[in-house]
Amino acid sequence: MQDVTLSEADRTAAPGQPPAATTVEARILLSLPDIVWCLDQDRRFRLCNAAFEAFTGKTQDELAGQMPPFVDAELPQFIRGFMAHSTECQTGQSEHSVRDPRSGQRIYFETTEIALKNPDGTPGGFVCVAHDMTRRKTLELELTASRNELFQHAYYDPMTGLPNLRHFSGKLAEAVAGSGGRQGTVLKIDLDRFSAINETIGRVSGDHVLVELSQRLREEAEIHGDFLARIDGASFAMVVYRDAGRDDIARDCERLLTRISKPFFVEQKLLTVTASIGASCFPEQGDNPDQLLGQADSALLSAKRGGQNTWRIFDESLIDEARERFELEADLRKSIESDNFTAHFQAKINLQTGEIAGVEALMRWNHPEMGSIPPGVFIPLAEQTGLIIPLGERIMTDACHFAHLWNDGSRNPVRVSVNLSPRQIMLDDFLPLMKGCISRAGCRPEWVELEITESMLMSDPQRINELMRGLSALGVAVSIDDFGTGYSAISSLTRYPIARLKIDRSLVHTRVNDGKPSAIARTIVAMARELGIKCVAEGIELAAEADMMRQIGCDEGQGFLWHKPMPEEDFFRWVARYETTREAK
């Protein structure tokens, strides 16, 4: 701390003449590394140090005696401002920034302005010390940026820029606490079959769809004052703050579904997606954010099971459904361990000759208490829980044993097909597992056919190539199940050794009343014929359907017209009756 009072000689130097710093204190002041300059009581420039001259490019001699506005002197604004202050004796601190004309970088200063007084209290002059705080300020800015980045990472989704689950939970807690008894709504939004879209158009394009969809939902949220977040994957959540009844919630859900279903243009391709929505209400159904989001999720799952592209509001009945589902999952695990699953078989019929052209092995669950559980119930549950993998191994083993039993010693062997889960087929050890099943059953690889979905062909090109090469080398045929309803590229049919296309039943049933086959089915059959691939019509129940598919050149048919899937012994008895009847005709 120093006395910076100027000497009498410094204060009384003639205007326009540079004063001499005669006191030890003044000389110390002017030798500081900070930028220092002094004015007299009339705000005429009096003194400055070397740091001031280096910074401004102006010498003390050039500025001595000058007063604002310093027309001929190019000075930083904060120096001009200090010199233009009123003559009231005031002391204070402030921060300023300027751009260095030489480097172009921004420099930050902390200025201390000192008003000097004479013994009689009149203004005696002014001193300003500008301390370069650029390093400190830069560190502060970097620290602030790092904090912002950490906050962004912790509370926002990096791909869409939307708030994430953590941020959503906090906002939902605030909404519930501040509801004041007014009802609000939690919406859980999930795209339908988005994994199939990713498998078809690729993950990069799928991400583009998510970003575009996020923007659509963000616009809807901003219009209505709602809070939107991306929870994970293709799932979003929204807090609707306004007091709404169930009719209002229904309108909100329908509005969102309509906006979501508008087509996307991705890589010059038109793509349409749908979503399902689950809703829960607060404080009517609780005040715990996790509980409310869980209820919305339960409603969402119910909406998806109800056909997708729809919505549902949580109610107590869903608790019973969830409990039943949990119990069914536990029973599924026990039944796998207890071997309560059996293989059923269904024939594929040559539509031209009536001969049995193949057999499909299908898994059936015989629940010890509830009896037969439909595949539409336990297969999705097994997929979601991962239990489809041991189930798939079981049906593959049974199919190989059946193929050996059917074909061993036969002059005209047929293939036994099995529809396996993508989760099992994409396992790294699938091919060794397949070889083991065939070997243990004493079966030949050419007696086995695997049915895969369209979307699998588009999922992981490298993995699919390896799988197809491995199956081809092994001698196992591949067919495409439910063809005509999924996402696929026609080029994949020429790229891989496909044995059969199974035309989805929805295309087989189309226009049966007027006796005209589906245009899509006709196109699939014509295309398959050109590629040397056989076609199988699934789900044939009426003779008219079989006749239509026969007329357009479909090779084989499968369905209840001939028989339902049945256990092995019953199937062989049906075969004996069928062959006897066919020979008699």
Side-chain angles (χ1 to χ4, degrees):
M1 299 176 63
Q2 296 290 339
D3 181 359
V4 297
T5 305
L6 301 182
S7 70
E8 184 66 22
D10 292 330
R11 291 196 303 270
T12 59
Q17 298 297 321
T22 57
T23 65
V24 173
E25 291 83 357
R27 287 197 298 272
I28 291 175
L29 177 67
L30 297 178
S31 67
L32 292 175
D34 292 334
I35 297 172
V36 180
W37 67 97
C38 310
L39 309 180
D40 64 14
Q41 65 272 21
D42 297 323
R43 293 204 172 270
R44 290 190 297 266
F45 193 93
R46 304 305 292 164
L47 291 173
C48 69
N49 66 353
F52 179 95
E53 293 180 341
F55 175 67
T56 63
K58 300 296 181 181
T59 66
Q60 178 175 285
D61 292 345
E62 291 178 272
L63 297 175
Q66 290 194 37
M67 294 182 66
F70 306 100
V71 176
D72 298 328
E74 295 181 1
L75 297 173
Q77 184 61 38
F78 74 93
I79 294 179
R80 288 177 178 273
F82 171 77
M83 295 179 180
H85 280 174
S86 67
T87 56
E88 295 180 4
C89 295
Q90 295 180 348
T91 298
Q93 287 185 329
S94 57
E95 293 183 3
H96 306 274
S97 67
V98 295
R99 192 170 296 280
D100 189 333
R102 292 162 295 185
S103 65
Q105 296 180 341
R106 187 158 291 280
I107 305 174
Y108 296 88
F109 288 103
E110 182 180 59
T111 60
T112 302
E113 302 170 356
I114 306 168
L116 305 177
K117 294 183 180 181
N118 293 320
D120 61 0
T122 60
F126 304 89
V127 176
C128 185
V129 179
H131 174 68
D132 187 343
M133 53 178 287
T134 303
R135 179 173 174 77
R136 189 188 80 187
K137 193 69 174 180
T138 301
L139 291 175
E140 289 177 355
L141 292 174
E142 290 176 352
L143 180 59
T144 300
S146 297
R147 287 173 176 168
N148 291 338
E149 184 177 351
L150 287 173
F151 180 83
Q152 189 75 16
H153 180 73
Y155 290 95
Y156 286 86
D157 171 55
M159 185 174 76
T160 64
L162 291 175
N164 60 13
L165 177 59
R166 177 184 294 178
H167 199 168
F168 181 83
S169 297
K171 285 291 185 180
L172 179 55
E174 293 176 6
V176 173
S179 66
R182 297 188 307 274
Q183 180 171 295
T185 311
V186 178
L187 300 180
K188 180 77 179 291
I189 307 164
D190 188 78
L191 297 187
D192 299 327
R193 300 180 67 243
F194 192 72
S195 59
I197 295 175
N198 269 337
E199 292 169 359
T200 302
I201 64 177
R203 189 164 297 277
V204 173
S205 296
D207 288 347
H208 290 164
V209 171
L210 285 177
V211 171
E212 172 64 23
L213 177 65
S214 299
Q215 182 58 34
R216 293 183 184 182
L217 293 176
R218 181 188 283 113
E219 291 170 356
E220 290 290 333
E222 290 175 351
I223 290 172
H224 297 88
D226 304 327
F227 184 81
L228 173 70
R230 183 190 181 201
I231 302 303
D232 59 32
S235 296
F236 301 84
M238 187 179 291
V239 179
V240 180
Y241 295 100
R242 55 193 177 279
D243 194 356
R246 292 187 172 251
D247 290 342
D248 300 311
I249 297 173
R251 282 191 290 270
D252 286 340
C253 291
E254 291 291 347
R255 170 175 52 82
L256 291 171
L257 291 178
T258 299
R259 185 70 185 272
I260 291 169
S261 64
K262 290 184 178 180
F264 293 90
F265 285 94
V266 180
E267 296 182 355
Q268 298 181 341
K269 295 179 181 178
L270 189 65
L271 180 67
T272 300
V273 299
T274 62
S276 299
I277 302 177
S280 61
C281 305
F282 63 87
E284 174 188 339
Q285 294 170 335
D287 56 6
N288 182 287
D290 292 336
Q291 179 187 9
L292 289 167
L293 195 56
Q295 291 171 345
D297 194 55
S298 296
L300 170 67
L301 292 175
S302 177
K304 284 187 174 291
R305 290 195 295 270
Q308 304 181 352
N309 193 29
T310 187
W311 55 271
R312 181 163 181 181
I313 302 174
F314 178 83
D315 56 51
E316 294 302 319
S317 67
L318 291 180
I319 298 178
D320 295 333
E321 290 182 18
R323 185 183 299 111
E324 292 173 1
R325 185 175 179 81
F326 178 80
E327 293 173 352
L328 192 62
E329 179 183 340
D331 290 345
L332 182 60
R333 294 181 184 275
K334 292 178 184 177
S335 291
I336 292 175
E337 297 172 359
S338 304
D339 199 21
N340 291 326
F341 287 86
T342 57
H344 281 46
F345 301 91
Q346 188 176 39
K348 298 175 185 177
I349 306 298
N350 185 313
L351 292 177
Q352 305 301 324
T353 66
E355 295 176 314
I356 297 176
V359 180
E360 182 176 2
L362 302 158
M363 184 62 73
R364 293 294 183 264
W365 181 12
N366 301 310
H367 193 282
E369 298 176 1
M370 294 185 287
S372 179
I373 304 295
V377 173
F378 76 82
I379 293 296
L381 183 60
E383 289 275 6
Q384 294 166 10
T385 58
L387 296 174
I388 196 68
I389 293 176
L391 278 179
E393 183 176 353
R394 168 63 190 274
I395 189 61
M396 188 164 59
T397 298
D398 288 351
C400 291
H401 279 289
F402 182 87
H404 169 74
L405 183 63
W406 178 279
N407 290 316
D408 189 34
S410 173
R411 294 182 180 180
N412 299 306
V414 298
R415 289 174 177 155
V416 178
S417 64
V418 57
N419 195 329
L420 297 182
S421 164
R423 294 186 62 172
Q424 183 180 15
I425 294 176
M426 298 300 278
L427 291 174
D428 291 337
D429 62 348
F430 174 73
L431 285 175
L433 179 65
M434 186 78 203
K435 291 178 183 178
C437 289
I438 292 173
S439 176
R440 287 190 297 272
C443 176
R444 294 183 182 179
E446 60 268 23
W447 295 343
V448 179
E449 183 174 299
L450 296 183
E451 297 183 6
I452 66 175
T453 60
E454 285 185 81
S455 59
M456 276 196 62
L457 293 178
M458 308 294 294
S459 56
D460 185 341
Q462 181 177 354
R463 173 61 182 151
I464 291 298
N465 277 324
E466 294 173 357
L467 177 66
M468 288 297 188
R469 284 199 302 269
L471 292 173
S472 180
L474 185 60
V476 174
V478 176
S479 64
I480 308 301
D481 195 24
D482 300 330
F483 191 81
T485 60
Y487 302 90
S488 67
I490 301 302
S491 59
S492 62
L493 300 181
T494 60
R495 188 181 308 128
Y496 304 122
I498 305 300
R500 283 176 174 79
L501 298 180
K502 299 190 71 176
I503 303 173
D504 187 79
R505 67 181 63 196
S506 63
L507 303 177
V508 173
H509 295 321
T510 303
R511 299 186 65 181
V512 67
N513 291 333
D514 60 13
K516 296 180 180 179
S518 161
I520 298 177
R522 188 191 300 274
T523 301
I524 291 173
V525 170
M527 175 186 64
R529 185 184 299 113
E530 290 294 324
L531 297 175
I533 300 174
K534 290 186 178 296
C535 279
V536 182
E538 293 185 288
I540 293 180
E541 299 179 2
L542 304 173
E545 294 171 345
D547 289 340
M548 281 195 306
M549 300 312 294
R550 183 185 304 110
Q551 291 169 11
I552 64 175
C554 185
D555 301 282
E556 300 168 9
Q558 179 181 353
F560 290 178
L561 173 63
W562 294 280
H563 72 98
K564 296 180 179 180
M566 56 185 65
E568 183 179 295
E569 292 183 3
D570 294 341
F571 178 76
F572 278 119
R573 284 194 289 268
W574 174 86
V575 169
R577 292 194 303 271
Y578 178 79
E579 292 292 353
T580 299
T581 302
R582 193 175 69 85
E583 290 175 2
K585 291 181 179 180

